């Protein structure tokens, strides 16, 4: 396949080099060490070394980093012939997005004398924003070129930062684990993009849009890492002390409960009473999404488990009954089912957060109220009003995500980005040099290439 | 295969939902944040944030978490057609067990005004208890339904908590890394269960009870993660400061020595002087098991290396010579060889711990004696007596494990739990929707299902 | 294949047992807990528990540990029939090397009353030294027996410690992330060894010296873990506080920039505009190597990104154009291309470090200068001189690596070590019992062995 349209010989290098050079120039002019990473500033002040934010957040950062690069990357390797692209494009767009997010978030979170100050917290935030882009990637998986993905990442990171700024800085919303800012935003943005990029003839690639035995095991590496480290994700940027501790614990129990409801629902709904790997790989994670907002609050393990349980139920039901409807009626081809893993559980998480916030009181939080709800503690808003703000934030997020996805979707339709034809979606060999498979039939170890991949490569 | 007996359509959902609902109700009535996770309590006291136990233990907790879900889960994927079940049932029963363990351990470790208080340390303990269940899972791997496994987990967690309570709270035993409470208990419990579940016609599934090339590589992911994070496992709940530090280091050297003796013994005993993956995947870990009790003591790296070296030797010898005898003579069908990885090394660890405890003195431990042996430091018992207590604890553990396994084994024999027939053990497709394998023979990429899996699915 | 020469029945056990027994004896006579792992010493002094170095470095240590055992181990599984050996020999020689490195580095870093004192920092240093050995392993991958590898590790660790002593202790060089001591040393040592072991008839095994689809995915596990945890690697032994924080952040941005230049260069240079997995798996990591020396300095994210960008470019160019020349003209058969990932980027890192050091000033570093450049802060040398020392250190490192590799290469040529014949390189079944592959052709699940592996096993 030497189709000029999908050939990346020049398109990808030009895109990568221009983007990276722009990033380097902007970092050179705008970015500085913050007072915890700058040698002079740190030593100018009186600190003990263990007070450096590095020791409070770096282990959580590394867990989040694993979720972004291994978790998302391998979760998407379930497709039989799209493993290179799943891990590889995930790697590429994440490496770009985290740099761009540093600039966009730094710009909106407040400049210091015209400069963006960075440290471990900004690194976590950049990874969070990247996570949102990877959720959208899940919706369009298999149907986009790497250049399209980089362009999508560029716009999505920007809109993410705008939405995050409106929520966290203007409205005073609380959303430490990003049920709204990350999951709802990423899911509905991606769903709208894939709607605009609707391919009526995608069934020509249907035979590749499924898993094989080993690809499902690779995907489980992604699933399990996401599941294990979600407590670190939700607690990574909460306040030091009891807040990080409590958030991690709430998430731990939510996920455990979600896993049991996922297995139960999968056996109940799947073909012949057998478990469906798609449910296990995805719905078991919905419990982490659904306590993204309320996890730092005094939700209690009891409350977390109820939320996790419900998230697993609606996520499996979504995969089983809603996804086919979305595809048939609304023409939304959602490859990974991000609506079921990030969309609906994200909305659930926003609602749970609003309710939990509305119930906050000094009676329950004591002196810790100012960590979780600074505006309530300061008397600026009532708890009820905070709950209302949380609910309004969901609407804002949905609006920006859907509108943004609409516009970006049309941009990505431009024929210059090298999207694959309908007949060769979900196929690595269009963008990668793919080795053959080992074969043993005639008793001799030989590496063969399939006729199809020969054809694609010739 | 629509055999009503193994069909999980109703059995698994009912089990999962009932168990989770009971858990949620009990959490709602019994469980509270401890003073380090509760917003009000933490802020009521004068603390620095970095004094929160979260920062001392959460990185270790996450390492333990990886061992439980990735380590155990992937270690068991070595079987050629049981990868979904290995990772997937591991995931299910671990998610259940950690919730149930929180309640059982909380109940026995002491209620606070009728309530169980939880934080990162209880999370680690819950994961530890889960590890014990997963060891037993290794013994029955491939021969049990998910419902049987959940039932086994429920009983085993309960008995684990009883045994742990007797050892740690009544006898005053020291066992930070769980040579006795986790490994010996889990192994002998599981061995007794598999003995009771003995299948005389298991050789009908013999052709599936072996590995293929890629499944052995997946299993190595489990092995290496267990190996790397074992220092965190053994040190996760030791006292802060030098104790965690020392325990991690002792374990590191024990494992390194164990690896060399494992490779040596494998080449010496295996077919034709070639290394056997079974030994590498398992015996190289025995060094971590064997310093589970003494790792926190002043065992020295020198002592740790001797223990690790011996553990590797006996573990390989067990796989090579003892396992076949156990199967032929005692009718113990131990799928993963847990007797060699957890059983004998656990007993060795208990003995090493007893000896090391008996040699403890203020001369060696200084002011640190109260961290490691509080009863010796307080003068309640002599070091010699502490050694005797340790040895007695091994006997108690063996007794409870064997008796418990006997009873639970008979419970699991009830025909209502959907165990697989002898002809279809070690086979994913009985409980999972299994995709076909990619095939390229006629030059066309097609997904095929094997005749057997067709038959199973029809 | 029962060729006596490659049979490991006695050679490997004898080597493992003798080495381990020597290690145990030397640990027994020479090694002691340091004051942070010794119960008595720690409790003799007035400390808070959180001041123990364990809490500053153990999370980083575990990340480094993952890089050594999962990162290096799986990165090398890209070969189609060498996965057992890649992960398994990596495991064996790393477990040996870290013990031996503890002794060699302890000896050179300074004895305390004739004793080596160890703790988490020495564990990190031992893992670092092990990394160097594994880089050399990459150069000879597929062409050496496990006994040869253990012998190589023994000599290389010793020479590593000598070189490290000359640089860090005599010259006062700064090299926290080991651009010189680890990467340059390991690469050029390994390249010289493989040069001496040149096999003119290696093309007889050429058909095995390539990847298959799944082996490339396994290798990506290694790549992504190395990439994610490199910030921990470079910051693991820098000074507490801003230094660890800054080093991690510089490395994070260097790697991100490197990833974009790698993808761009790969598409630009590879066949038909398609991405080449070899580049992605390797060159994307060069950014971590290249900021190994300067990462702890005030390089700024801007500087780090430029360095990372360049590292990616030269690494891809090396794979594409230089490696074939090295093989054809200089007879250097570099299996993994370590010259492109560790060699050239290591040299680049040394140069960047020298330049950055020469530009150091109190103006920029303030009170932090004594952390990064103690000799400059104390006035012993000027910044310019420090830069010169850094440059000279590169020359010293190259000299010791090349001379050491030459000598060790000739030692490894001794016919007693059981090297594989030219016809059976890159093949697991010469040293491992290899299971067959699952086959489904006649609709029946059967495990087959290839004729070749039958032949090898017979």
């Amino acid at each position: 396949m030497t189709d000029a349209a999908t050939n990346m010989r020049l398109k990808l290098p030009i895109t990568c080099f221009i983007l990276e050079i722009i990033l380097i120039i902007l970092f050179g002019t705008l970015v500085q060490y913050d007072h915890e990473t700058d040698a002079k500033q740190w030593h100018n002040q009186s600190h003990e070394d263990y007070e450096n934010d590095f020791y409070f957040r770096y282990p959580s950062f590394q867990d989040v980093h694993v979720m972004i690069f291994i978790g998302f990357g391998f979760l998407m390797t379930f497709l039989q012939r799209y493993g290179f692209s799943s891990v590889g494009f995930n790697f590429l767009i994440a490496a770009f997005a985290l740099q761009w997010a540093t600039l966009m978030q730094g710009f909106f979170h407040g400049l210091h004398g015209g400069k963006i100050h960075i440290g471990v917290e900004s690194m976590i935030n950049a990874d969070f924003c990247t996570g949102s882009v990877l959720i959208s990637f899940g919706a369009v998986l298999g149907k986009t070129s790497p250049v399209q993905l980089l362009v999508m990442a560029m716009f999505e990171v920007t809109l993410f930062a705008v939405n995050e700024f409106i929520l966290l800085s203007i409205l005073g919303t609380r959303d430490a684990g990003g049920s709204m800012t990350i999951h709802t935003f990423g899911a509905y943005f991606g769903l709208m993009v894939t709607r605009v990029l609707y391919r009526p003839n995608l069934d020509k690639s249907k035979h590749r849009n499924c898993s094989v035995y080993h690809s499902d095991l690779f995907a489980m590496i992604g699933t399990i890492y996401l599941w294990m480290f979600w407590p670190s994700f939700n607690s990574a940027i909460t306040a030091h002390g009891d807040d990080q501790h409590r958030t991690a614990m709430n998430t731990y129990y939510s996920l455990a409960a979600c896993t049991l409801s996922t297995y139960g629902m999968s056996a109940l709904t799947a073909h012949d009473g057998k478990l469906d790997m798609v449910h296990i790989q995805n719905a078991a994670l919905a419990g982490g999404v659904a306590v993204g907002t309320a996890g730092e609050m005094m939700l209690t393990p009891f409350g977390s488990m109820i939320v996790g349980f419900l998230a697993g139920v609606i996520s499996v039901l979504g995969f089983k009954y809603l996804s086919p409807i979305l595809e048939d009626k609304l023409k939304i081809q959602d490859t990974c089912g991000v609506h079921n893993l990030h969309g609906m559980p994200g909305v659930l998480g926003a609602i749970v957060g609003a309710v939990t916030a509305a119930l906050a009181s000094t009676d329950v939080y004591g002196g810790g109220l100012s960590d979780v709800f600074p505006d309530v503690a300061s008397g600026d808003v009532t708890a009820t009003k905070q709950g209302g703000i949380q609910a309004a934030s969901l609407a804002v997020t949905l609006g920006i995500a859907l509108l943004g996805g609409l516009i970006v979707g049309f941009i990505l339709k431009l024929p210059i980005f090298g999207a694959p034809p309908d007949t060769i979606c979900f196929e690595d060999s269009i963008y990668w040099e793919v080795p053959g498979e080992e074969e043993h039939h005639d008793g001799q170890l030989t590496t063969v290439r399939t006729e199809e991949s020969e054809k694609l490569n010739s």
Side-chain angles (χ1 to χ4, degrees), chain A residues 78-117:
Chain A
F78 72 98
L79 290 172
Q80 55 179 296
R81 293 288 293 179
Y82 210 63
F84 288 12
S85 303
S86 297
V87 175
F89 294 162
N90 186 83
F91 187 19
L92 172 63
I93 60 178
F96 165 68
L98 66 86
Q99 297 176 79
W100 185 237
T102 305
L103 294 170
M104 288 296 106
Q105 293 180 312
F107 183 73
F108 282 110
H109 287 187
L111 300 174
H112 305 257
K115 300 289 184 181
I116 294 164
H117 285 186

Side-chain angles (χ1 to χ4, degrees), chain A residues 251-283:
Chain A
T251 308
Y252 173 79
Y253 286 108
S254 173
L255 285 161
C258 180
T259 303
L260 265 83
S261 67
T262 295
Y263 274 81
M265 288 304 294
S266 184
L268 192 65
T269 63
H271 175 68
D272 213 12
K274 292 182 181 179
L275 293 162
D276 187 335
M277 260 292 165
V278 172
H279 303 158
I280 308 307
Q281 283 161 3
N282 291 280

Side-chain angles (χ1 to χ4, degrees), chain A residues 182-234:
Chain A
I182 301 167
H183 298 288
T184 304
F185 183 86
Y188 288 96
F189 183 96
L191 290 168
M192 186 53 97
V193 168
T194 201
R195 173 64 191 84
V196 176
L197 297 180
Y198 178 66
R199 289 167 178 266
N201 298 316
L202 190 60
D203 56 357
K204 288 182 182 167
S205 290
K206 200 176 65 175
H207 58 295
R208 280 192 225 90
N209 188 6
C210 56
S211 66
V212 288
Y213 193 73
H214 282 110
S215 68
D216 268 327
L217 272 183
F218 277 112
M220 281 302 283
I221 297 175
T223 296
I224 301 284
Y225 270 102
L226 287 167
W227 194 91
M228 293 187 302
F229 289 166
W230 218 295
S232 304
F233 189 93
N234 285 347

